[in-house]
Amino acid sequence: MYKRFYLPILLLVSILIAAGCNNSNGNEENSGEINETSAEENNAEKTDKEENGASGHHTDLLTVEGTPFDESLFEVVDFESDPSPNDYYYQYASSGALAMGGENHSIFFDYRTGERLSLETDVERLKGRAESSIVNTDSYTWPFLFGNYYYLQGNDVGTNKIIQADLSTGEIEDLADADGPSDMVKKDDILYIISADKLSALDTNTKETIWETTGEVELSTGYAELHATDHALIYEDQYGLTAFDIKDGTKLFEEEGVFRDVAVDGSTFYALADEADAFSDSLYKVVEFDDQEGKKETIIEAPEVEEPYEIGEIKLDLVDDLLYITVENGILTYDINSHEQLWSVSVGDLKDRSETGDDYNYWFSAGITGNHVYAFTEKSNVANDRDNFLTVIDSKTGEVKNQYSFGKAIGAGPIIDEENGNVMVYLQYFNDEGAQGFILPID
């Protein structure tokens, strides 16, 4: 899940990136041009612990040779229109549908066919745009995906509405009013919402508010996220963590500090704390909490990494007893029981993301499943030489199984559809050459 930022910040970042990459010129290169060498046979690995600052097995993805495209199981789909990932900051997939969220609307596709997704609604103000598979949203708001339900916010005569889109059916409907931009999380059909200084619980089946509190929390204007454990709601922002009773919103405890993300395991949650001084490199520690009693202990101290450009890119995920710390140019993986580091990957040097050995800029993101980590890397320079590649990594061992290169385009990925068991890379080509989706089954 993405961290939530106000869209002017995202717009500024997008403008700067676009200017630096000069991506308005150039011709599409063959998306199937792949190095004809097996990644499994030619995976060049780094194991020098001092060089990489990591105690486990390490691989620099820039040293990995490509996998021939004809050895892959990709299904390639032509899209009937080609929205740019530079304009649509959020991409989510579920039940065969792709939702792309931008500054003032979201657009929906059936990614299996590339056609616009058919939307249905009884809400009059939504009908016109729904015919074009579009739902308008308020500026300064952002979408969420929980299962096959996509949530966004739209304005209706001065009232901010929370809208629910069922990606499995295409049905869209109003759920409730909101006091401006909101952060939210869903658990057992209950949508928990922070809007302005109000925390509330909404039954998505009946559309009735179960409980509501005011004055104990305030929606952050910086990075922030709401999480749900068995017994509590955990709100994480730039000031620290606050826990609320999930039954009625009563405040349970607060913990000051700089926290970048939270991973939940039942009644236990893990917070990624950054204990570095201001303007210095990041020192990440994983702190274990009980959702009713509060802080327990620090269980992991990660190696030092460079201070992030974008705080929202720092993530903590727990999947099948493996804890993943995703930084701006790589991943560090730990055993949640032994607390030992197992493996890591990076684009260039984990300690210094500028140390890549070339004049390219790299943007790294990852999607995590039970068996594999899917890492997507965008590569470009001021001459508009570009590439996009997807790396498939064994979750348990860190072994690179495959690495596919897609060529010159503006890319988005990995977009994971957990409901249908697919991972997708979306590419918009230059010079009005359209867009394609590359769909790979999740093993």
Side-chain angles (χ1 to χ4, degrees):
M1 179 179 295
Y2 297 94
K3 291 286 185 200
R4 311 302 167 196
F5 289 86
Y6 271 22
L7 286 174
I9 299 174
L10 288 169
L11 285 171
L12 177 60
V13 172
S14 298
I15 291 169
L16 293 173
I17 291 174
C21 297
N22 189 25
N23 58 22
S24 61
N25 299 317
N27 298 315
E28 173 194 348
E29 294 180 357
N30 186 352
S31 62
E33 288 183 359
I34 313 295
N35 294 328
E36 298 297 321
T37 311
S38 168
E40 289 188 67
E41 295 176 355
N42 296 279
N43 182 8
E45 301 170 353
K46 289 185 178 180
T47 56
D48 186 340
K49 299 177 183 179
E50 293 184 358
E51 179 180 353
N52 296 290
S55 60
H57 163 80
H58 181 80
T59 302
D60 183 345
L61 299 184
L62 297 183
T63 68
V64 175
E65 298 292 339
T67 304
F69 199 83
D70 58 11
E71 294 181 8
S72 76
L73 298 176
F74 279 109
E75 177 184 357
V76 184
V77 176
D78 295 324
F79 275 62
E80 70 173 39
S81 57
D82 58 346
S84 171
N86 286 346
D87 299 323
Y88 293 84
Y89 320 110
Y90 306 99
Q91 304 92 25
Y92 293 104
S94 181
S95 303
L98 170 67
M100 302 178 72
E103 180 184 6
N104 55 23
H105 69 274
S106 287
I107 186 170
F108 300 84
F109 294 90
D110 183 331
Y111 69 73
R112 298 162 299 186
T113 65
E115 298 176 350
R116 298 284 184 101
L117 186 69
S118 177
L119 299 180
E120 299 180 0
T121 184
D122 293 327
V123 182
E124 285 297 325
R125 80 173 197 287
L126 299 176
K127 286 183 177 179
R129 296 286 274 169
E131 294 178 358
S132 300
S133 305
I134 290 173
V135 177
N136 286 343
T137 59
D138 255 4
S139 297
Y140 316 124
T141 66
W142 41 85
F144 300 82
L145 180 71
F146 305 112
N148 57 291
Y149 290 100
Y150 182 81
Y151 295 92
L152 58 167
Q153 293 178 247
N155 191 282
D156 181 22
V157 195
T159 301
N160 197 279
K161 294 285 189 180
I162 295 176
I163 302 168
Q164 175 179 274
D166 186 340
L167 298 187
S168 66
T169 65
E171 181 181 1
I172 52 176
E173 58 181 326
D174 284 339
L175 274 188
D177 295 341
D179 299 328
S182 301
D183 214 330
M184 61 187 74
V185 68
K186 189 176 183 181
K187 183 178 176 63
D188 299 330
D189 291 332
I190 307 300
L191 197 63
Y192 300 94
I193 305 163
I194 292 178
S195 185
D197 66 344
K198 181 172 67 179
L199 175 63
S200 61
L202 176 70
D203 188 317
T204 58
N205 295 316
T206 66
K207 300 184 182 179
E208 295 182 354
T209 298
I210 301 171
W211 54 258
E212 179 179 297
T213 64
T214 57
E216 292 291 347
V217 66
E218 184 174 353
L219 183 68
S220 174
T221 58
Y223 76 92
E225 195 166 355
L226 187 63
H227 310 265
T229 68
D230 282 351
H231 310 110
L233 299 171
I234 311 300
Y235 187 56
E236 159 223 349
D237 63 13
Q238 67 265 42
Y239 304 109
L241 301 172
T242 307
F244 302 90
D245 194 310
I246 202 168
K247 297 190 300 296
D248 57 15
T250 301
K251 184 185 289 187
L252 299 175
F253 61 84
E254 292 179 292
E255 184 72 30
E256 292 185 355
V258 178
F259 295 96
R260 301 307 190 195
D261 202 5
V262 164
V264 173
D265 183 16
S267 60
T268 298
F269 69 92
Y270 303 92
L272 185 63
D274 188 350
E275 298 191 356
D277 296 330
F279 307 111
S280 63
D281 289 342
S282 294
L283 294 171
Y284 294 123
K285 295 183 178 181
V286 178
V287 183
E288 182 179 349
F289 286 79
D290 181 274
D291 65 1
Q292 294 181 298
E293 298 177 2
K295 183 177 179 180
K296 295 178 67 176
E297 61 177 331
T298 296
I299 62 170
I300 291 169
E301 297 187 11
E304 182 178 308
V305 297
E306 192 174 2
E307 180 186 13
Y309 293 132
E310 295 184 40
I311 296 171
E313 299 298 322
I314 310 304
K315 297 198 304 179
L316 184 68
D317 293 284
L318 178 62
V319 181
D320 293 345
D321 289 334
L322 295 179
L323 195 67
Y324 302 88
I325 301 174
T326 301
V327 297
E328 282 192 318
N329 71 327
I331 299 175
L332 301 108
T333 306
Y334 296 82
D335 185 304
I336 192 60
N337 298 308
S338 68
H339 308 158
E340 294 181 358
Q341 185 178 335
L342 302 178
W343 57 267
S344 59
V345 299
S346 65
V347 177
D349 193 325
L350 265 177
K351 290 183 178 180
D352 184 352
R353 57 180 169 267
S354 66
E355 292 295 327
T356 59
D358 56 33
D359 63 351
Y360 287 90
N361 295 315
Y362 294 88
W363 289 267
F364 176 90
S365 57
I368 299 168
T369 66
N371 293 326
H372 293 102
V373 173
Y374 298 90
F376 182 68
T377 306
E378 302 169 77
K379 170 183 176 181
S380 67
N381 63 11
V382 294
N384 200 36
D385 296 325
R386 303 177 68 97
D387 196 2
N388 299 269
F389 51 93
L390 181 73
T391 310
V392 183
I393 305 164
D394 186 287
S395 298
K396 305 298 188 297
T397 67
E399 177 188 1
V400 174
K401 310 298 287 186
N402 296 288
Q403 183 159 284
Y404 304 100
S405 170
F406 298 98
K408 189 173 185 176
I410 300 173
I415 308 168
I416 293 181
D417 181 350
E418 294 183 355
E419 301 295 320
N420 274 28
N422 292 320
V423 59
M424 183 178 67
V425 170
Y426 172 88
L427 299 177
Q428 181 209 27
Y429 299 113
F430 296 93
N431 297 333
D432 298 321
E433 293 291 340
Q436 289 182 317
F438 292 78
I439 305 165
L440 188 67
I442 294 175
D443 293 335

